[in-house]
Amino acid sequence: MLRYFVAQTAPTTDKMPAETGTDIERAALLLKAGKLVAIPTETVYGLAADGLNEQAVLSIFKAKNRPDFDPLILHVSGREAAFSLAEYVPVKARLLADAFWPGPLTLVLPKKAHVPFVVTSGLDTVGLRVPNHPLTLSLLKQLDFPLAAPSANPFGYVSPTTAQHVLDNLGDKTDYILDGGPCTLGIESTIIGFENDEPVLLRKGSLKKSDIEKITGPLKEKINVSGNPKAPGQLAAHYSPKRKIVIAEPENIGLLQTLPRPVTLLTFGNLFQAWENRVDRVLNLSPEGNLAEAARTFYGLLREADQGPESLIVTGYLPAGEMAEVINDRLQRAAFPFKNTSHE
Ligand code: TXA
Ligand code: MG
């Protein structure tokens, strides 16, 4: 398999910034012609192309500067369309689909022969998801092919949760941006694979593990935090702003004196209350300390922290709660390799 062929491709584009709007017919026409359209979902925005058209799929990798070892998810309008792309569907996959689609769940299943290997990075399995967003669902219903769509950000950078985020980073590499408003969940889908028909958690996400376990029983986890390209997707460094992030313990306020200024504090509720009037800027994921709100605001505030006068970003792991764990996973990857506390 080619390694990093995308990363080595010179950035090319004299394209005008994409138009943003809610014209599904236009989006459908462009996609049928093999073009790229950014689509809203309940989790994050995706950069979509015809998932059965190899050239169109390759142009996603090129636009994102995404390495070829990181497979894409195919998005479809419903369960029948999804399972028509799978060679085999374990019973528990059907139960999960019934319970959570449309929704923030991706199922990794053995692929049918007509699913191109460019989508799956050479794997015999394919990620399938029915996103829960009215605009995108009606778009998918107009198409007779699935949409391959990774998150619509340059590879490694913070995921987009508004049409503006897509425009900011990939505006000149996208043919149209379908604007479905801010994403309601804000963190990527939960990914489940199967081993001997038993579900395995591959990526934590917006669908809570405990909700999945109500259907499947105890879930095995195979989350790979590494820089190993053979571990699809779960790269240690990911979702990262350009600026340095320091992950601090709220008790360790003495740390502030040792840090270069200015400092932007990315906080949650009153976690870092004692720090707030001693830093240069405060961004709060949820002043009320609500984890669902923090998930929704997380990527947007990371982007905001990455803008304005050059600044160090100081933040901390969120306290107890299932969604806290999921957000902390993203935070850890965003901060890599700068993290100064261990968290596993
Ligand atoms: O919420 C989401 O899942 C969003 C929206 C746009 O649907 N999409 C998204 O895609 O997060 P992306 O490309 O940023 O992450 C896709 C990840 C890959 O990095 C990989 O970890 C996993 O999905 N994946 C896809 N196909 C796989 C496969 N066949 N085997 C294992 N993992 C797979
Ligand atoms: Mg992504």
Side-chain angles (χ1 to χ4, degrees):
M1 189 160 52
L2 286 171
R3 284 265 165 263
Y4 283 115
F5 75 95
V6 176
Q8 285 165 4
T9 309
T12 55
T13 183
D14 333 325
K15 259 194 197 167
M16 297 284 287
E19 261 184 61
T20 297
T22 55
D23 188 345
I24 297 175
E25 277 67 35
R26 180 165 169 197
L29 279 174
L30 287 164
L31 290 162
K32 287 175 193 169
K35 305 285 188 194
L36 295 181
V37 173
I39 54 166
T41 82
E42 78 280 35
T43 59
V44 300
Y45 273 72
L47 183 64
D50 177 349
L52 302 181
N53 174 338
E54 291 192 17
Q55 283 312 314
V57 173
L58 278 171
S59 66
I60 297 178
F61 282 86
K62 190 169 170 194
K64 280 192 57 126
N65 208 10
R66 181 175 172 116
D68 63 352
F69 55 74
D70 196 6
L72 305 181
I73 295 169
L74 290 182
H75 298 69
V76 287
S77 63
R79 151 200 160 109
E80 302 320 316
F83 293 156
S84 75
L85 298 161
E87 191 57 52
Y88 167 69
V89 185
V91 173
K92 286 188 178 173
R94 287 184 196 279
L95 294 177
L96 288 173
D98 287 343
F100 300 117
W101 276 349
L105 168 72
T106 295
L107 295 176
V108 174
L109 299 175
K111 78 173 195 70
K112 274 260 172 70
H114 70 287
V115 173
F117 281 114
V118 282
V119 171
T120 67
S121 298
L123 297 171
D124 292 324
T125 54
V126 61
L128 301 168
R129 160 160 138 80
V130 181
N132 190 13
H133 192 289
L135 265 190
T136 294
L137 280 175
S138 28
L139 170 65
L140 285 165
K141 283 181 189 136
Q142 292 193 17
L143 303 173
D144 59 3
F145 49 81
L147 289 178
S151 51
N153 50 285
F155 182 70
Y157 193 62
V158 182
S159 303
T161 53
T162 65
Q164 185 64 45
H165 294 162
V166 182
L167 191 64
D168 289 346
N169 298 128
L170 293 178
D172 58 350
K173 303 205 168 77
T174 309
D175 295 289
Y176 187 60
I177 300 172
L178 202 53
D179 186 352
C183 299
T184 51
L185 299 179
I187 296 281
E188 289 83 352
S189 63
T190 302
I191 304 184
I192 299 286
F194 291 84
E195 280 176 6
N196 302 320
D197 288 0
E198 284 304 311
V200 178
L201 181 64
L202 300 179
R203 179 177 75 181
K204 292 179 188 176
S206 274
L207 181 62
K208 288 187 192 139
K209 187 181 170 203
S210 62
D211 287 335
I212 296 175
E213 287 180 325
K214 283 177 200 149
I215 309 276
T216 62
L219 258 187
K220 207 163 119 186
E221 287 192 19
K222 259 204 169 166
I223 293 159
N224 216 327
V225 183
S226 78
N228 174 6
K230 286 195 183 133
Q234 296 301 330
L235 299 168
H238 215 50
Y239 316 106
S240 307
K242 297 192 175 72
R243 294 177 178 171
K244 182 172 168 175
I245 297 187
V246 172
I247 295 181
E249 308 280 353
E251 306 75 56
N252 185 13
I253 195 165
L255 178 73
L256 254 183
Q257 288 152 2
T258 69
L259 297 175
R261 293 292 181 143
V263 162
T264 294
L265 177 69
L266 180 64
T267 185
F268 169 78
N270 54 15
L271 190 61
F272 283 90
Q273 202 163 37
W275 298 47
E276 289 186 11
N277 54 15
R278 298 175 59 183
V279 298
D280 304 283
R281 178 166 63 149
V282 179
L283 301 172
N284 201 325
L285 294 166
S286 169
E288 280 82 52
N290 177 311
L291 285 170
E293 183 182 17
R296 210 161 40 236
T297 59
F298 179 66
Y299 287 133
L301 288 184
L302 264 188
R303 283 169 175 264
E304 205 170 317
D306 216 17
Q307 285 158 9
E310 183 62 37
S311 169
L312 184 71
I313 304 168
V314 175
T315 187
Y317 290 121
L318 308 194
E322 248 189 295
M323 267 324 279
E325 234 188 89
V326 179
I327 299 168
N328 289 342
D329 165 81
R330 304 304 194 272
L331 200 54
Q332 182 186 11
R333 292 174 209 273
F336 184 89
F338 300 122
K339 64 179 174 157
N340 64 347
T341 58
S342 72
H343 174 86
E344 223 46 87

